[in-house]
Structures are given as C-alpha cells and as structure tokens.
DNA sequence: CTCCTTGTCGTCACTATGACGATAAGGGGT
DNA sequence: ACCCCTTATCGTCATAGTGACGACAAGGAG
C-alpha cells in the first residue's frame, strides 16, 4: 500500500476545577503556524504508537501528570482538509479530567502552559489556533454531559472529598448553582456513586463534613440533572 | 512537513430496523486481507476530502442512499498500530441510521452487501474482519444511548409514522419489549418529540392509528428510559 | 459565649413512571 | 350483517424522584 501524505496528531482538552471554576490547560505556541497564539496541547502520533498512548504521552509531557489513573477518553476526530496550513493533518481529540493537584504545570514541556478559565476561552471563538475552539467546545460539552450520567465528577476531586467539594465540581463544570441539600440527598442516595470513609474534615469551614471516596458505579441511576 | 506512511479510512456502521429487528449492513470482502469475511463498509479518505464527505460517499456507494437527510454521525477513531495487516491504517467510524426503505442494497458497489441481524453479529466476536466487531459494538451502543435522550429513533422511520412503529424501533434497538400504553403516553407528552399529521393509517392492522412526523426537539425532556 | 459558616436531615407538593384495566375502531371471515 | 381479532388510545393508581425550602447540628472566629 502507498498512502497519501497525511499527518496524524492528537490534541488534548485537559480540564480541571480550580477556585470553583472550570479551567483548561493551554499552551502559547512558540513556532508557526499561529505563533504566539494559544492552543490545546498536542502532538503527532509516532509510528507504531497507539492513539491513546500518544495522548497519555502528551499529557505527561505537558503537565507532568503521568499517573495512569488520570481519566482520559477520546472525544472526536477533526479532519477538515484545510484545518492546518502545513498540510493535511488529522487530529484525534482526547479529554482529560485531572484533580486540582499542586505543581500541575511544573515540569512542563511546552514553553508556556497555563490554566485558563474555560468559559472565557469559549466566549471568544478567535482566541485559539487551528480549529481548537471547536475541539474545546466539544470536549467541554462531553464533560458536562458525562457528569450527568457517570460518576466522572470524582475525577476532578482528590481521592477523599466532601459532598460539597463534589458539588463545587458540578457547579463549576455546569456553570450553575445547585441546592446543597438536594444535591447531598441525590448523591448519597445514588447507588455506589460515593462511599463514606468514616472520617470528617473541616477544611471547607463550618460544620465538619463527612469524607467520601469514589464508589464502584460506572453509570448513575438515576442520573444527575442539569438545570 | 513530511509524514510517516499512514492510511486514513472511514468505516460505517449502517443500521436499520427491518422486520422488528436491528440490522447492520455488511459486505463480504472480495480481496485480502480477510478475504471472504464479513466487514463493515468503508474506504480510504481521498486527498482534500473531509472525513464526513468520505463517509457520505461510502454510504452512497454501498447503499445507493445519497440523500443528505440520512442521519450520519462520527462515533470514534480506531488506530491500533496492528489493526490492519497492510500497514498503519487509522479508521474513523461513522454511524448511519437509515429507514427501512425499498431497494436498499440495490445499486450497491460492494460485490455482496447485505443486511444482517446486529445481535447475531455482536454475539459472535470472530465474525467480522479487522477490529470491526468492536466498532460495531461501539456504534450500536451509541445508537442505543442516543435513543434515550434524542429523538433519533425517528431516523429509522419514514417521514410519517405511527407511535407503534416508533415503539417498534425502540424495541428492536434496545432488544426489549415496551408497554404500548406507557410508551404512547410518554412519546406524546414529551415536548416536540413528534407532531400529529392529522391523518390515520391502518397499515399495521387493528384500530386506525394517528400518523406523526418528527418534532423539532433535538433533546428529549425527560429522556426515554431503557429497562 | 455568641455568631457565622457549612453540613445534614426532614417536609411537602408536584411530576414522572410502571403496571394494568377499559374502551375505541378498524379489518376479516362466515 | 355480525362477531371476533387486532391494535390504538385513554384512564387509574400506587410509588419513586425532584425542586423548594425550613430546621437543626457542629465546628471555628472573634
């Protein structure tokens, strides 16, 4: 077989929740095209490298987060013939959800990587290079949808978290406030969503809160409801 | 830029509901590799051709269904280095939902294309070439999930349909029986799911049934529930 | 000790749902 | 013409889930 010239890349939508806001990791491009513009982290797939392997490698290079337990999933593939001025480059987008850990951007490969408010970027469709605005929009929408029917919000949390911290994740990702009492009832009544540790914490102030860890569920019955 | 040798293809999971069963369009491969085995229709992306354009072209070639109104959506991309013995071939899978029209396979490009029961194929993981069993599984699961929260079941129906015919689609795709009375209530009460035409039909026997067409909704509130 | 903050439980009205009875309105057979 | 069979459609009822919100619990700060 001989093939047409074509590049294959992966781009990453790396999301976290910091200071109660949904943030995305962006890098400032140091080389053309789109030099000086913000872009999603990404890179070319190496020969004999699986797509997800490429994505995990990029994730590690850009963030220092090499842990296998980071949630990573494929979102979509973008292949418009003119999406990259260098030639035909098809990009497979992945979504990564990471907890708000210390030293996240440290050890990063890209010259200048930083966390940016996702809503700010989404509001300005010209801010990102290539078709990355669309990729980001699709990634964020995927995350919002998954929070409804999967326990994935816990991927944004440390291993042990309170119900309020989990609520903060939902509020940040969905961008709307939730009733603390109904949220508490819903989460604790949904089978295997979270399981109590038995200990409490006062790190959020106020009355000590129970600590929980992720449950065993892969799908939420019934789902959480947005708006 | 120079690129590693790599082929880019699209594969199609084309689903329909015939005789109350979910069926998938398969072709019998006439050339190696996997000669004589069943496979999903597909083909290579041409230079300067958009991915979805490729998928629509393949859809037209294999089924004669060139209508733009056929529902087509991207499902996922498969890129394991060894998934194709001919070399590195990355495949973008698309899901097409087509109504049970007359003369579907006629005018087809592939030597032998035919509708096969999806459940039969899914039950036998060795029946399909390449990693097509996984692609089919992912495509069918996508269809099942979308029937819950989108009005996409109507994509399997002709322009005008009865509630029972719509129920038949749900039963076939989900593989479980639904209560006709509750289903009727649910569908007619979900805003903009379907809209009555005003006329009736007796083509399904029994008491004449109202005819409906698709409503304007893109998401169902509340969703249909499986099981 | 008091106030302030957050956590947790409870109440209540309303909606959605599953199970299922009952009636409507055609077609086919005799 | 009539009866029966089939499917359509409406209704009932008990129950689960949800949004709105009151009330109390249990720490820390001043």
């Amino acid at each position: 077989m001989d093939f047409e010239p074509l590049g294959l890349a992966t781009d990453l939508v790396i999301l976290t929740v910091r200071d109660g806001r949904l943030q995305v990791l962006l890098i400032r491009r140091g080389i053309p095209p789109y030099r000086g513009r913000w872009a999603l982290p990404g890179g070319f797939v190496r020969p004999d490298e699986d797509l997800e392997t490429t994505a995990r490698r990029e994730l590690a290079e850009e963030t220092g987060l090499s842990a296998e337990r980071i949630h990573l999933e494929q979102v979509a593939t973008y292949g418009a013939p003119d999406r990259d001025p260098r030639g035909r480059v098809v990009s497979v987008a992945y979504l990564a959800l990471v907890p708000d850990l210390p030293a996240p951007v440290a050890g990063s490969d890209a010259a200048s990587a930083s966390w940016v408010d996702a809503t700010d970027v989404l509001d300005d469709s010209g801010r990102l290079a290539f078709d990355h605005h669309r990729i980001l929009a699709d990634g964020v929408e995927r995350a919002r949808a998954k929070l409804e029917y999967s326990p994935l919000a816990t991927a944004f949390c440390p291993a042990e978290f309170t119900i309020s911290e989990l609520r903060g994740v939902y509020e940040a990702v969905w961008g709307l406030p939730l009733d603390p009492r109904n949220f508490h009832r819903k989460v604790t009544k949904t089978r295997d969503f979270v399981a109590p540790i038995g200990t409490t914490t006062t790190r959020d102030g106020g009355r000590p809160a129970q600590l929980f860890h992720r449950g065993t569920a892969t799908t939420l019955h019934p789902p959480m409801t947005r708006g």
Side-chain angles (χ1 to χ4, degrees), chain A:
Chain A
M1 305 286 296
D2 65 342
F3 298 117
E4 302 292 336
L6 174 145
L8 182 67
T10 69
D11 286 310
L12 288 138
V13 176
I14 307 172
L15 299 179
T16 195
V17 173
R18 289 160 50 93
D19 307 320
R21 297 193 306 273
L22 180 65
Q23 309 206 319
V24 58
L25 189 75
L26 298 180
I27 62 167
R28 195 179 284 277
R29 289 182 60 81
I31 56 168
Y34 296 100
R35 182 178 194 157
R37 293 277 288 283
W38 291 102
L40 296 173
F44 287 93
V45 176
R46 295 177 181 164
D48 297 319
E49 186 179 50
D50 188 60
L51 300 177
E52 182 167 330
T53 304
T54 305
R56 285 208 182 270
R57 176 170 56 74
E58 300 288 341
L59 179 63
E61 288 174 4
E62 313 284 4
T63 68
L65 296 166
S66 63
E68 282 184 16
R69 54 188 193 71
I70 300 266
H71 177 83
L72 185 69
E73 66 179 270
Q74 195 189 104
V75 176
T77 298
Y78 302 83
D82 59 351
R83 64 178 293 280
D84 190 319
R86 292 169 292 187
R88 186 78 194 261
V89 176
V90 171
S91 175
V92 183
Y94 278 82
L95 172 67
L97 306 185
V98 307
D100 178 15
L101 294 171
V105 180
S108 83
D109 178 42
S112 48
S114 58
W115 293 110
V116 182
D117 266 39
T119 49
D120 291 350
V121 183
L122 287 173
D123 285 345
D124 177 4
S125 67
R127 180 114 62 125
L128 298 184
F130 305 105
D131 52 1
H132 287 187
H133 185 269
R134 163 127 309 277
I135 297 177
L136 174 62
D138 291 349
V140 168
E141 180 48 38
R142 169 75 65 91
R144 286 179 172 151
K146 278 225 150 182
L147 256 55
E148 292 187 33
Y149 59 87
S150 83
L152 222 61
T154 58
F156 288 112
C157 297
E160 303 183 352
F161 52 87
T162 69
I163 301 292
S164 293
E165 289 161 0
L166 187 63
R167 177 166 49 85
V169 168
Y170 275 90
E171 293 177 328
V173 175
W174 285 350
L176 43 84
L178 298 172
D179 184 281
R181 297 155 293 186
N182 291 339
F183 184 85
H184 189 281
R185 176 183 61 191
K186 182 71 170 286
V187 168
T188 52
K189 281 197 171 181
T190 300
R191 278 178 52 99
D192 301 322
F193 186 1
V194 298
I197 293 284
T199 54
T200 61
T201 181
T202 58
R203 66 190 179 209
D204 300 317
R207 171 174 166 180
Q210 287 281 331
L211 280 169
F212 294 79
H213 58 256
R214 332 179 195 296
T216 56
T218 57
T219 315
L220 302 182
H221 299 290
M224 308 294 290
T225 48
R226 210 188 323 187

